[in-house]
Amino acid sequence: MNKPAADIDIFLQPGEFYFGDAPARIRTLLGSCVAITLWHPTRLVGGMCHYMLPSRHAPGSPLDGKYAEEAMQLFLREAARHGTQLQEYQVKLFGGGNMFPGYRKKTASGNLAVNNIADSNVAVAHRLVARHRLQLSAEDLGRSGHRNVIFDIRSGHVWVRHQRLNES
């Protein structure tokens, strides 16, 4: 595919956030982290976050895209700055892959522990979508392995390549 020379290519590292307009393409690589994409179909603005953890408890700290709750606050701020509401955006969720599928940790009672950071990141993504009454149009969450994600703000399309890990 030939892309126009004027396109902006952004690569998000873990904890980073980007919001802008077309022509921009945002890429990231996810393991247990989760990416949220928001796209406004008439204004052709949108963004992506690559959060690492559900939340933190540090009142008074500046907003940090490393945390799901704070990344959503950054989205709220950007939507308002563009004269829009979050509910007008199409939302897509990606990531939350278990990066150690063969590892099973036992609790003190001898049961297998099922909670891990990937599961927590996926759960908080669903809670945020419900809390803010957002229109979830696609998701590719969970399972094992990592994902390459590319989000084109011009079209709203997101491409995902999921590389699963051997679970033996």
Side-chain angles (χ1 to χ4, degrees), residues 105-164:
K105 182 178 178 183
K106 291 198 175 192
T107 63
S109 64
N111 297 325
L112 285 178
V114 291
N115 192 15
N116 61 45
I117 194 62
D119 293 341
S120 298
N121 280 338
V122 168
V124 76
H126 285 133
R127 280 196 304 272
L128 288 170
V129 166
R131 181 185 313 149
H132 293 281
R133 294 184 213 97
L134 302 179
Q135 175 189 345
L136 184 60
S137 58
E139 69 177 63
D140 184 8
L141 296 165
R143 300 184 308 280
S144 70
H146 67 274
R147 291 167 174 87
N148 287 293
V149 179
I150 303 170
F151 171 40
D152 187 341
I153 295 178
R154 181 188 337 254
S155 66
H157 294 144
V158 179
W159 295 270
V160 179
R161 191 178 94 220
H162 185 180
Q163 181 67 44
R164 290 175 181 81

Side-chain angles (χ1 to χ4, degrees), residues 43-73:
R43 301 266 179 104
L44 303 183
V45 297
M48 179 191 287
C49 70
H50 177 150
Y51 70 81
M52 301 164 64
L53 298 166
S55 63
R56 68 173 167 167
H57 303 289
S61 298
L63 291 177
D64 190 336
K66 291 179 187 175
Y67 307 98
E69 301 277 350
E70 295 180 39
M72 189 57 69
Q73 293 303 311

Side-chain angles (χ1 to χ4, degrees), residues 14-36:
E16 291 185 335
F17 174 91
Y18 178 85
F19 196 95
D21 56 8
R25 187 172 292 123
I26 311 168
R27 303 169 186 269
T28 199
L29 175 64
L30 302 165
S32 59
C33 299
V34 167
I36 301 173

